[in-house]
Amino acid sequence: MTDPRLTDTDRLAQAVKTGDRRALARAITLVESARRDHRGEADALLEALAGSGKQAMRIGLSGTPGVGKSTFIEALGCQLTDAGHKVAVLAVDPSSTRTGGSILGDKTRMERLSRQPNAFIRPSPSQTHLGGVARRTRDAVALCEAAGFDIVLIETVGVGQSETIVAEMSDLFVLLLAPAGGDELQGVKRGIMEIADLILVNKADGDLKSTAIRTAADYAGALRLMRKREGDPEVFPKAMTVSALDETGLSEAWAEMQNLAEYRKKTGFWALRRAEQARGWFADEVRQGLLRRLAEDPNAEAAMARLAEDVASGRRAPGSAAADVLQQLDADTD
Ligand code: GDP
């Protein structure tokens, strides 16, 4: 029996909580929507689901196109669902923000995993800017957790800012690399190595096996030179080889992820990082909200355009001109 006093949002929240994948997909569509009235509903939904106490292990995963991300996620994902986990895969695709196309591609990826009843795969939302994608992915992660998924993989392509965005919403960050001969270490930007907890050199099979082993050793050496992260065990960050195709090294890689997670939970760094992330998102939402308000206030916009000229020509000082715009915004809000 459905309670007639329940709103659509309440009903959707209840359905998400039962782990219904169709409801989860609908909920994610709602949080991805750019429509203002949808935003209100999305916020109500997220609020209704907040504090469910359910937490997933959020794993960020990055790598250049062709390195084997889908093959890896599919193989690991199937092993994890076989072991009784519920696995959600989300994607942050920076290409869709620029071209409307997609590097990650939504077509026939991870067919085997998508057939598992305990798996949920969601392609990247097409949005106009990366900030928007970040926010929506964050919300989608929260929805997956409320739906009882205990492992959420957030995949991204190794270009630009998207890695940092994904790392900031993950508990662990895994970087997938290809075997590389000689001096190709520098191909990976230092900043990316700094955020990686685990570097996996994929395709350690067939002719590529020995190169992969050498590459992993090179990265292990490079990682040793970097500062150990506070709260992590000595041996992290770590580099190792896997073959997503042959499915070798996957359980070892998973064991390392679990080790690190357990360690961080024990030392309290896990909770600390989560709290810090939540604080950051909250501040980010407030800032975004203020910017939206500014953009949507025609008087403030007009004042800004007018005063920009005054500032450019030196008639006004930037600080006091900005104060005028904010005053206009306050006046319109009251
Ligand atoms: P993505 O673009 O990073 O998602 O890469 P894909 O998973 O689509 O893989 C790109 C290509 O690399 C495909 O042809 C895969 O079959 C191949 N590939 C992926 N993992 C491995 C692996 O472990 N060993 C080998 N030899 N090939 C792999």
Side-chain angles (χ1 to χ4, degrees):
M1 274 284 283
T2 51
D3 185 337
R5 285 165 304 182
L6 290 180
T7 64
D8 287 349
T9 311
D10 293 333
R11 276 193 209 99
L12 186 55
Q14 281 186 350
V16 168
K17 272 193 224 169
T18 64
D20 176 359
R21 287 190 297 179
R22 286 231 308 273
L24 176 60
R26 257 198 303 138
I28 294 180
T29 304
L30 184 65
V31 300
E32 282 175 357
S33 169
R35 269 176 50 183
R36 281 195 70 145
D37 53 331
H38 285 172
R39 192 63 234 170
E41 281 176 53
D43 284 339
L45 177 70
L46 290 161
E47 191 66 37
L49 292 170
S52 70
K54 291 187 211 157
Q55 259 198 9
M57 180 163 163
R58 304 173 185 165
I59 305 168
L61 183 96
S62 174
T64 48
V67 73
K69 289 181 298 303
S70 2
T71 313
F72 176 81
I73 293 174
E74 169 141 285
L76 180 67
C78 287
Q79 287 191 4
L80 293 172
T81 51
D82 282 350
H85 290 287
K86 289 189 75 181
V87 179
V89 182
L90 304 172
V92 172
D93 186 347
S95 59
S96 65
T97 66
R98 259 178 276 126
T99 60
S102 157
I103 304 181
L104 289 172
D106 306 332
K107 341 139 230 101
T108 53
R109 305 175 84 236
M110 302 180 233
E111 254 179 86
R112 189 155 59 95
L113 183 59
S114 64
R115 281 197 302 270
Q116 300 293 322
N118 276 341
F120 176 82
I121 301 176
R122 180 81 179 187
S124 182
S126 43
Q127 281 299 324
T128 46
H129 64 105
L130 212 50
V133 175
R135 177 189 189 179
R136 286 168 176 85
T137 308
R138 223 146 65 192
D139 291 346
V141 170
L143 292 170
C144 291
E145 288 190 323
F149 285 85
D150 61 331
I151 296 167
V152 180
L153 282 158
I154 313 159
E155 174 193 10
T156 192
V157 172
V159 290
Q161 260 194 303
S162 63
E163 270 126 344
T164 320
I165 287 174
V166 170
E168 278 171 2
M169 60 177 87
S170 309
D171 300 309
L172 302 177
F173 192 76
V174 179
L175 182 61
L176 218 56
L177 295 176
D183 302 326
E184 291 188 41
L185 207 70
Q186 66 277 14
V188 178
K189 283 185 235 88
R190 197 183 155 79
I192 292 164
M193 283 197 50
E194 273 170 356
I195 56 175
D197 294 305
L198 194 59
I199 287 181
L200 299 178
V201 181
N202 190 32
K203 308 196 182 182
D205 49 52
D207 292 346
L208 289 169
K209 190 165 181 179
S210 55
T211 316
I213 292 171
R214 213 165 343 108
T215 309
D218 287 349
Y219 278 101
L223 287 172
R224 268 195 293 278
L225 298 177
M226 290 177 22
R227 204 159 54 88
K228 185 178 92 70
R229 237 163 279 154
E230 200 188 340
D232 279 355
E234 272 316 319
V235 290
F236 280 95
K238 203 172 220 188
M240 55 201 287
T241 57
V242 293
S243 166
L245 204 62
D246 289 357
E247 307 203 2
T248 50
L250 298 182
S251 36
E252 288 83 352
W254 171 242
E256 292 297 349
M257 292 182 225
Q258 280 180 303
N259 284 345
L260 186 59
E262 284 311 315
Y263 192 92
R264 285 183 179 167
K265 281 180 181 165
K266 244 189 357 238
T267 55
F269 270 84
W270 183 277
L272 213 64
R273 181 172 160 138
R274 285 253 170 152
E276 235 168 67
Q277 286 173 340
R279 255 187 232 114
W281 296 342
F282 165 64
D284 191 42
E285 293 283 345
V286 173
R287 269 194 297 272
Q288 296 296 330
L290 283 175
L291 289 176
R292 236 184 349 262
R293 212 190 270 176
L294 183 63
E296 286 166 3
D297 182 328
N299 294 332
E301 278 264 280
M304 208 163 150
R306 183 164 30 81
L307 288 163
E309 288 318 304
D310 290 349
V311 171
S313 64
R315 280 193 300 276
R316 293 285 310 270
S320 81
D324 282 6
V325 173
L326 295 177
Q327 223 164 33
Q328 179 67 55
L329 194 61
D330 281 344
D332 293 337
T333 308
D334 289 342

